[in-house]
Amino acid sequence: MSDTTDTGPMRAADGTPLKKSLARALRRQKLRALALISPLLIFVVVTFVVPIADMLFRSVENQIVSDTLPNTVRHLASWDSASGNTPDEPVYAALAVDFQAATEEKNHTKLGTRLNYENPGLSSLFRKTGRGADDIGKASAKRLTDLDPAWKDGATWAALMGSDDWFAAMSDWTKDDGRQPRFAARSGVAAALPLTSSAYSTFARVTRTDGKKSAVKTKPWPVFFTALEQDLASASPEALAAIDGSSAALLQSAAAAVSGFETVSYMDAFIEIDKGWGDLDNWQTIQSYAARYTPGYFLNSVDLEKTPDGIQQRPEQQQIYLMLFWRTIWMSMLITFCCLVLGYPVAWILANLRASTANVLMILVLLPFWTSLLVRTSAWKVMLQQQGVINDILVWLGLVDDASRLVLINNQFGTIVAMTHILLPFMILPLYSVMKTIPPTYLRAAKSLGATNWTAFWRVYFPQSVPGIGAGAILCYILAIGYYITPELVGGTQGVFISNRIAFHISSSLNWGLAAALGSILLGAVLMLYYVYDKIVGIDNVKLG
């Protein structure tokens, strides 16, 4: 009888190759682990990653200019702003079409607000022009309707601009039919009448969204007449001949007559509405911020501005953000240091007392967490004011004259005191958790070998508490650098942080782009300090217990 050796792969009990069976088990284990953490992962992505990504996008996004004034931006690309002259007539003609369409959608005020961040005064310019822009279109409307009254009818425009199927569907549409059919342009219209086609597409989208009346029965926008006049003046006869439909003959008649219309100066029309349209600075601002993405918000965040001559510093009276960034950084560091100085002895006492006594004192440490942040800050406001508790005690003790009470609030001192009190537990708790793990026998051993109390503490105890210091310092600093409620209440003008300006731009000025840029820079500063801390101390040495 001869021995036989099985040289095949090792197999599991079910006959599957062992390597394949192990790989399958490992894959199932990973999928199970992923399923367990998926709710947390989704929560982090939705509440942390997505908002940060949106903030970074808003800090450079500037699409409102090119979206609202597309034709104007295209013509401004060839304008030399350094020439010292305002743009030529074609730019104003494009502005006439863009501005009337923007007025119908109420987008001109949004654009004015955006450009007003860069050049104060543009918001009022855009609002005033919005009230008079339709007069430009009405003048064009009169010329065309005098030629044929059919141009007043919305059905005329619908038959000209829309496909036969869309026109038929819109003619029969009622509110009971539900949502209106999507606009479909007539073949050849976009090529022959680009301005009119774009304006009518916007009109059809707005009426479809509104859903009250069909485009066939809605009064035409004045911008149609302005756009059609400009299109007919530049369209080729071949392109116009390619447009068919029931309104084709009407279009040919208008094309033949448009050359005899009175010449219109759109430049004079806009300057008559507001002289600001003849101001070179306003046009330079529009051209400078015409790109869909801009570094302008980040430049403003560091007290710079984008000008036709390049990047320059903002006027001295407007340079506030670099000062606020520096104040935020150094005051946050000082608050963190104060928390360490006050919290280290407390944590040491808690760690070396009997458990029953330490637990009672720990309740006092945690007590601020059970009180509203607003209440704690308001309490400091009461205590620190000139007629407050602290000044009254100092006057009663004779340390301060009643006529010369100390100013302890609405300045940097008030912010430091209030925030140190609020953040102190975040320093004590990590220190306490680390100190509890340090055996007291180490100090006794050091003293038995001849070390003094200070030497034993500094050479033996303190190095072992450094991880707790690191954890507490990171917690306090990151929380301090982003605080805005406490500095707003007790800091006055000298004790506010950059986060207060971020909150102002988000809730009051509504300049979300600048707020996003300031937030991005603040985030970058925190990450940079975190990186430096990791290189110097080592993040692996940070412990919470």
Side-chain angles (χ1 to χ4, degrees):
M1 185 174 180
S2 60
D3 295 333
T4 58
T5 303
D6 186 2
T7 59
M10 297 182 64
R11 297 181 179 273
D14 59 355
T16 306
L18 184 60
K19 184 176 181 180
K20 184 177 180 180
S21 180
L22 290 174
R24 183 189 304 165
L26 184 61
R27 183 167 58 254
R28 288 175 179 172
Q29 185 179 5
K30 290 181 178 180
L31 291 174
R32 189 181 300 111
L34 179 61
L36 290 173
I37 68 168
S38 58
L40 177 60
L41 181 62
I42 294 172
F43 177 80
V44 171
V45 170
V46 171
T47 62
F48 184 74
V49 177
V50 172
I52 288 180
D54 180 69
M55 177 184 70
L56 294 174
F57 175 74
R58 285 181 181 272
S59 65
V60 296
E61 185 270 334
N62 191 53
Q63 300 174 12
I64 187 172
V65 180
S66 57
D67 287 347
T68 308
L69 305 177
N71 301 301
T72 309
V73 167
R74 187 169 62 253
H75 281 80
L76 279 176
S78 59
W79 172 57
D80 182 12
S81 61
S83 64
N85 299 318
T86 56
D88 296 331
E89 180 66 20
V91 176
Y92 285 92
L95 180 66
V97 175
D98 289 339
F99 211 98
Q100 289 181 76
T103 302
E104 296 291 348
E105 291 192 275
K106 304 295 187 295
N107 286 335
H108 66 293
T109 55
K110 299 177 183 177
L111 177 59
T113 300
R114 164 65 188 99
L115 294 176
N116 198 71
Y117 298 145
E118 315 300 336
N119 187 353
L122 280 177
S123 178
S124 59
L125 172 64
F126 274 63
R127 290 179 184 275
K128 183 177 180 181
T129 306
R131 293 190 292 269
D134 281 352
D135 293 340
I136 300 174
K138 290 176 181 178
S140 300
K142 186 177 187 305
R143 288 189 288 270
L144 284 172
T145 53
D146 286 346
L147 185 66
D148 194 317
W151 288 111
K152 295 180 180 180
D153 191 359
T156 301
W157 291 95
L160 174 64
M161 307 306 299
S163 65
D164 291 334
D165 292 340
W166 177 81
F167 178 69
M170 289 302 299
S171 298
D172 298 333
W173 180 86
T174 63
K175 292 179 68 174
D176 296 335
D177 296 333
R179 192 166 178 80
Q180 297 180 10
R182 188 179 297 275
F183 174 71
R186 182 175 295 278
S187 176
V189 167
L193 309 172
L195 297 178
T196 314
S197 177
S198 175
Y200 195 85
S201 297
T202 303
F203 167 77
R205 173 174 53 80
V206 171
T207 55
R208 183 171 185 262
T209 302
D210 184 54
K212 295 180 180 179
K213 296 173 63 177
S214 71
V216 175
K217 300 177 182 178
T218 303
K219 183 180 178 180
W221 287 354
V223 65
F224 296 167
F225 302 94
T226 304
L228 184 60
E229 272 195 349
Q230 295 184 23
D231 283 335
L232 292 177
S234 59
S236 64
E238 295 79 10
L240 294 176
I243 301 176
D244 56 5
S246 58
S247 297
L250 191 63
L251 179 66
Q252 293 293 338
S253 174
V258 72
S259 59
F261 287 170
E262 180 184 356
T263 303
V264 178
S265 174
Y266 293 105
M267 177 188 294
D268 293 342
F270 274 100
I271 293 178
E272 184 179 351
I273 295 173
D274 193 300
K275 294 181 179 180
W277 289 112
D279 190 343
L280 181 63
D281 289 341
N282 293 338
W283 283 106
Q284 288 177 335
T285 301
I286 296 174
Q287 186 188 54
S288 297
Y289 291 91
R292 297 182 69 83
Y293 301 97
T294 176
Y297 291 124
F298 279 101
L299 293 176
N300 290 339
S301 299
V302 292
D303 297 329
L304 300 175
E305 62 181 346
K306 184 180 179 182
T307 68
D309 299 327
I311 298 174
Q312 298 180 356
Q313 279 194 333
R314 298 188 71 86
E316 185 175 354
Q317 65 272 18
Q318 299 179 17
Q319 297 179 16
I320 61 172
Y321 294 116
L322 286 179
M323 178 267 293
L324 285 176
F325 273 117
W326 169 241
R327 178 193 295 170
T328 301
I329 290 173
W330 80 260
M331 285 185 65
S332 297
M333 289 183 176
L334 180 58
I335 291 167
T336 302
F337 178 75
C338 292
C339 289
L340 175 60
V341 171
L342 297 175
Y344 197 96
V346 175
W348 185 86
I349 292 173
L350 290 173
N352 290 276
L353 285 175
R354 291 182 305 173
S356 58
T357 307
N359 290 337
V360 173
L361 295 180
M362 182 59 69
I363 293 176
L364 299 179
V365 173
L366 297 176
L367 190 60
F369 287 120
W370 304 337
T371 308
S372 169
L373 172 64
L374 189 60
V375 172
R376 283 179 280 164
T377 305
S378 300
W380 278 111
K381 197 173 183 68
V382 172
M383 294 180 66
L384 294 175
Q385 61 184 322
Q386 285 188 295
Q387 301 300 323
V389 177
I390 294 178
N391 267 298
D392 285 344
I393 293 175
L394 293 176
V395 171
W396 179 69
L397 293 175
L399 299 177
V400 174
D401 184 68
D402 189 42
S404 304
R405 288 174 174 253
L406 301 179
V407 180
L408 304 176
I409 200 171
N410 295 328
N411 51 28
Q412 295 178 2
F413 179 81
T415 299
I416 293 171
V417 170
M419 289 187 62
T420 299
H421 165 247
I422 291 170
L423 296 178
L424 191 57
F426 294 98
M427 178 64 75
I428 294 175
L429 293 176
L431 284 171
Y432 170 74
S433 63
V434 170
M435 289 177 178
K436 283 293 289 184
T437 64
I438 302 175
T441 54
Y442 287 2
L443 287 177
R444 292 198 294 268
K447 292 177 183 179
S448 67
L449 294 174
T452 62
N453 289 334
W454 170 252
T455 302
F457 166 78
W458 185 249
R459 299 288 298 274
V460 177
Y461 192 87
F462 182 80
Q464 297 182 79
S465 65
V466 167
I469 295 175
I474 288 179
L475 281 174
C476 289
Y477 182 79
I478 292 178
L479 289 173
I481 206 172
Y483 257 56
Y484 72 93
I485 294 178
T486 302
E488 184 71 24
L489 292 177
V490 300
T493 58
Q494 300 298 318
V496 294
F497 287 179
I498 191 64
S499 51
N500 295 98
R501 297 304 300 176
I502 296 174
F504 168 77
H505 288 307
I506 288 176
S507 60
S508 298
S509 72
L510 302 182
N511 190 351
W512 289 8
L514 181 55
L518 292 170
S520 299
I521 294 176
L522 188 61
L523 175 63
V526 172
L527 293 177
M528 184 179 298
L529 289 171
Y530 182 85
Y531 174 79
V532 172
Y533 181 90
D534 182 39
K535 290 299 181 182
I536 296 176
V537 178
I539 201 63
D540 293 336
N541 294 325
V542 175
K543 296 180 181 179
L544 293 173

